[in-house]
Amino acid sequence: MEQSNLTRRLKDLEDNIKLDSALLKNYEDELRYEDDPRRKSKYNRAIEELRESANCHQQEYDRLHQQITGEPTVQMQSVAIQLQQMNNGLDRLYAGQKAIYGNINHLRQGLLAHYEAGEKNIISAITNQLNESQVTTISALLDAIEANQVSDAEMQKILPIIQEGLIILQQRGVTLPVSQEEIAEVINAPQIDFKHRLKVAVPIIPFILDYEGELELGTGINLKEALKQFRARLIGG
């Protein structure tokens, strides 16, 4: 290969690696502060694409390296270092996300233990969309309900808020990860134990809060503030 052609291809490769490395740094920064599972999933898919891109860069580098006789040029060495740095960054980010995923997956499994076998698929679909803080709060509230640390009066206030919030979400076309009819069938069924209806309803709270932040419902109770108070009381948040 002519030296000028080799130099040009190496320059193109170097530029592409720099662009991908800048994207990787941006994703790393965004993921550091992101806790929304849906957006995290989007970033993780983008990172996987960068991994594929890095593999293509490595293949191009190997092809060019084979066509060089003698010692690698300074330009070749520079590209090799940049490739290694990019792969190191991808490995570091992957390891970090794997550890985070393992922790939140453990929390989700603990939350599912509160439910009967036939309900776990529904609850799992909901909690898979919740971040670590939300899962922790919901788990603490479920623990408190089962330990009778939430009074009947408090439960009587919370369930109507969630029922009304679910109706509002339906009216405004906001979809949940599972059929809203399935959830409504349980939480509105008078023949089902009230405490059990509330346990099924509780994981919906973050979706209601995500939609409007603070719902001013007909009950006159602010759900966000109520949850904040429960969190402070139950888990010292």
Side-chain angles (χ1 to χ4, degrees):
M1 178 184 297
E2 293 182 2
Q3 186 64 34
S4 59
N5 189 30
L6 174 63
T7 301
R8 186 183 70 254
R9 288 180 61 181
L10 277 171
K11 181 63 168 60
D12 290 342
L13 177 58
E14 187 174 24
D15 289 343
N16 289 332
I17 294 172
K18 286 179 179 179
L19 287 173
D20 282 352
S21 294
L23 277 175
L24 178 61
K25 178 63 167 60
N26 181 58
Y27 295 151
E28 191 172 13
D29 290 342
E30 293 293 334
L31 279 168
R32 187 175 294 114
Y33 303 105
E34 184 58 72
D35 59 4
D36 185 291
R38 289 158 289 191
R39 288 194 289 267
K40 285 175 75 75
S41 178
K42 180 180 178 181
Y43 282 124
N44 285 327
R45 287 194 299 271
I47 290 168
E48 285 301 315
E49 292 177 1
L50 281 182
R51 173 73 78 179
E52 294 176 7
S53 184
N55 290 336
C56 290
H57 296 333
Q58 185 65 56
Q59 292 169 9
E60 172 67 1
Y61 175 85
D62 292 341
R63 283 193 293 268
L64 295 175
H65 190 272
Q66 291 173 0
Q67 299 175 53
I68 291 180
T69 57
E71 294 295 321
T73 64
V74 172
Q75 189 180 23
M76 285 293 293
Q77 293 174 342
S78 175
V79 171
I81 291 171
Q82 291 178 57
L83 262 176
Q84 186 61 55
Q85 289 174 340
M86 183 175 178
N87 282 316
N88 289 345
L90 284 164
D91 290 342
R92 181 178 63 251
L93 192 54
Y94 177 77
Q97 291 304 303
K98 184 178 180 181
I100 291 171
Y101 177 80
N103 182 55
I104 192 171
N105 189 54
H106 176 74
L107 291 172
R108 286 171 179 151
Q109 291 303 313
L111 189 151
L112 289 178
H114 291 280
Y115 298 93
E116 298 174 0
E119 299 166 339
K120 288 186 177 181
N121 285 339
I122 295 174
I123 301 301
S124 178
I126 296 173
T127 57
N128 282 343
Q129 300 298 315
L130 303 182
N131 62 43
E132 185 172 342
S133 175
Q134 291 168 333
V135 172
T136 300
T137 300
I138 296 304
S139 292
L141 185 50
L142 289 171
D143 286 340
I145 291 170
E146 291 186 348
N148 296 317
Q149 294 174 343
V150 180
S151 69
D152 289 343
E154 289 174 318
M155 289 193 290
Q156 291 285 349
K157 291 179 180 179
I158 297 172
L159 185 59
I161 300 174
I162 301 173
Q163 289 171 320
E164 186 174 349
L166 184 59
I167 292 172
I168 292 174
L169 294 182
Q170 289 175 316
Q171 291 174 341
R172 301 187 182 181
V174 179
T175 55
L176 294 175
V178 295
S179 167
Q180 293 178 342
E181 287 74 17
E182 285 185 274
I183 299 173
E185 184 178 353
V186 176
I187 68 176
N188 295 329
Q191 72 275 16
I192 297 177
D193 176 75
F194 187 87
K195 183 184 292 187
H196 188 76
R197 290 163 59 194
L198 180 60
K199 284 170 55 181
V200 174
V202 161
I204 306 170
I205 291 176
F207 293 92
I208 299 174
L209 296 181
D210 279 348
Y211 185 62
E212 285 196 334
E214 294 186 6
L215 287 180
E216 296 296 339
L217 303 174
T219 56
I221 299 173
N222 186 302
L223 181 55
K224 184 176 182 179
E225 185 59 32
L227 187 63
K228 182 179 178 181
Q229 291 175 7
F230 275 116
R231 180 181 176 88
R233 194 178 85 198
L234 301 174
I235 62 176

